[in-house]
Amino acid sequence: MSNSPSTHNRPRVWLITGCTSGFGKLFVSAIVARGDKIIATARNVSALDEFKDTPNVRLLNLDVTATQGELDARATTALELFGGVDVLVNNAGYVLSGAWEELTHEQVLHQFHTNFFGQMNVTRAFLPHMRHRSSGTIIFMSSIAGWLGVAAGGPYSASKFALEGAAESLQKELSPLGIQVHLAVLGQFRTNILAEGRRQVPRPTPAIDAYDTVIETLARRQEETNGKQPGDPVRAVEWILDVVRDEGSVAGKEVGLRIVLGSDAQKIIRDQCLNTLRDLDQFDEFSRSTDFPGAGRVDAYS
Ligand SMILES: NC(=O)c1ccc[n+]([C@@H]2O[C@H](COP(=O)([O-])OP(=O)(O)OC[C@H]3O[C@@H](n4cnc5c(N)ncnc54)[C@H](OP(=O)(O)O)[C@@H]3O)[C@@H](O)[C@H]2O)c1
Ligand SMILES: *[C@@H]1O[C@H](CO)[C@@H](O)[C@H](O)[C@H]1NC(C)=O
Ligand SMILES: *[C@@H]1O[C@H](CO)[C@@H](O)[C@H](O)[C@H]1NC(C)=O
């Protein structure tokens, strides 16, 4: 199937991870309202009871941290529900915060299992299907945390930086095969992500008091931000639907890898680019001076 004008508005089948809350839940109603179909997944779909009789919605248990074998089996089941999957949204995720020295390997690994390896495994489970059909769209929910690290924000940032890099490579692997990849780079949006009980800022006993200030500052900021984020998740979801369905203000436009959403995201990414350029300019000579004298350029990367 191609993106030619005659087929681009055909109904699409979406599969979304982490639909019990926030963006995931909002996607369900928005997708149905556009006339598309959705396989709404969650670790436990009993939390999605409200959608169980909604036409064009199917519910499927899917924990993104399951083994590849289990996820492959889930994918087989999913593909039978509507006869295929056109759009995969890797949405499940959570925020782990804390100081590098205080967090354990297991805590950081759990963050990566959900936010990074889980997304890789789920995507791997659906790629054979999209590759055989030479079509499909894969969306990753990235973050300004994937552009900027803040004190005590390392684990979440690391998982989103990893996602940014892996998805950028994936796009280049899949674009010749007719499969689209997008990173939705989101600012702060009003979902449950920072709600008490969801956000995690674990500390060891005894804690290292040298980190009290940075951790308390971050924890306070998260608490104050919860429920007051500037981003409207309904608008973000509609925008992502416009991109995938080639509708609304983006209709007919070529949308690149990154879909930046939120004025805060705009500013942080712009500042990060400007600061990087300033650093590059300042150390221009110095940075170049490690080449072998007379070495030519090798265009290994483009
Ligand atoms: N809101 C923002 O400001 C913001 C900004 C940038 C990026 N994002 C990204 O957007 C995505 C969605 O977040 P949200 O804001 O909608 O947060 P949310 O309201 O907390 O929803 C997160 C969802 O992820 C699910 N989840 C967690 N671990 C899972 C697992 N192992 N398997 C399956 N589902 C799992 C949760 O399900 P359970 O109910 O089972 O826990 C929940 O449905 C995340 O990737 C997040 O990093 C959000
Ligand atoms: C799913 O959630 C329901 C309601 O909270 C609970 O009764 C059920 O045991 C859960 N199932 C699993 C597999 O955890
Ligand atoms: C991904 O799949 C591999 C292979 O089954 C498994 O070891 C790993 O635990 C899976 N999930 C995550 C989140 O790493």
Side-chain angles (χ1 to χ4, degrees):
M1 264 175 271
S2 74
N3 268 333
S4 69
S6 58
T7 56
H8 84 266
N9 272 331
R10 74 190 191 282
R12 286 165 169 79
V13 178
W14 298 63
L15 185 136
I16 304 194
T17 62
C19 286
T20 68
S21 168
F23 287 113
K25 190 173 239 177
L26 293 169
F27 265 118
V28 183
S29 352
I31 283 167
V32 172
R34 297 265 188 131
D36 280 355
K37 298 171 181 179
I38 171 167
I39 302 162
T41 75
R43 289 194 272 203
N44 184 347
V45 291
S46 67
L48 291 172
D49 244 19
E50 66 195 274
F51 296 114
K52 75 176 191 309
D53 298 320
T54 311
N56 293 332
V57 178
R58 297 286 184 282
L59 306 180
L60 185 70
N61 278 323
L62 191 158
D63 182 332
V64 302
T65 63
T67 62
Q68 190 70 58
E70 286 173 58
L71 293 175
D72 291 347
R74 290 282 124 178
T76 304
T77 306
L79 293 171
E80 283 163 4
L81 294 173
F82 292 118
V85 166
D86 301 296
V87 190
L88 167 65
V89 183
N90 285 291
N91 169 71
Y94 76 100
V95 181
L96 171 71
S97 310
W100 186 309
E101 189 181 345
E102 282 194 346
L103 291 172
T104 65
H105 174 64
E106 288 66 31
Q107 288 167 329
V108 178
L109 203 56
H110 192 274
Q111 174 77 116
F112 265 77
H113 276 152
T114 304
N115 291 13
F116 182 67
F117 295 119
Q119 327 264 320
M120 282 200 112
N121 284 359
V122 169
T123 300
R124 202 179 282 117
F126 286 93
L127 276 176
H129 171 68
M130 292 185 173
R131 189 165 40 76
H132 288 137
R133 298 209 307 188
S134 301
S135 82
T137 304
I138 303 169
I139 309 270
F140 295 94
M141 300 294 268
S142 185
S143 167
I144 42 176
W147 277 75
L148 179 76
V150 297
Y156 183 66
S157 257
S159 72
K160 294 295 183 181
F161 266 80
L163 198 57
E164 289 262 332
E168 194 165 309
S169 291
L170 184 69
Q171 186 210 29
K172 291 172 183 172
E173 291 166 17
L174 296 185
S175 123
L177 309 184
I179 303 166
Q180 316 294 314
V181 176
H182 295 292
L183 281 159
V185 191
L186 301 145
Q188 304 208 74
F189 280 82
R190 220 170 287 178
T191 66
N192 294 318
I193 196 157
L194 294 180
E196 221 181 316
R198 279 199 187 261
R199 64 172 191 261
Q200 294 181 23
V201 196
R203 298 198 71 183
T205 11
I208 304 171
D209 58 16
Y211 297 114
D212 285 354
T213 304
V214 281
I215 291 173
E216 282 161 16
T217 302
L218 181 101
R220 193 174 338 105
R221 191 184 303 145
Q222 288 184 343
E223 198 181 323
E224 286 168 2
T225 305
N226 180 36
K228 297 201 187 70
Q229 293 96 331
D232 176 355
V234 173
R235 289 171 201 250
V237 161
E238 293 297 340
W239 224 98
I240 294 170
L241 260 69
D242 280 351
V243 168
V244 171
R245 293 174 47 85
D246 192 22
E247 288 177 350
S249 58
V250 293
K253 289 190 184 133
E254 193 73 35
V255 180
L257 172 65
R258 291 189 175 79
I259 309 168
V260 176
L261 298 170
S263 59
D264 49 353
Q266 266 268 347
K267 180 173 179 346
I268 284 170
I269 293 173
R270 194 178 296 278
D271 288 351
Q272 198 64 322
C273 291
L274 292 172
N275 291 338
T276 306
L277 285 174
R278 198 174 313 125
D279 290 349
L280 278 175
D281 287 342
Q282 190 180 348
F283 293 104
D284 192 43
E285 283 283 299
F286 180 79
S287 299
R288 292 164 190 273
S289 66
T290 51
D291 290 0
F292 284 110
R297 267 168 56 90
V298 179
D299 283 324
Y301 301 94
S302 58

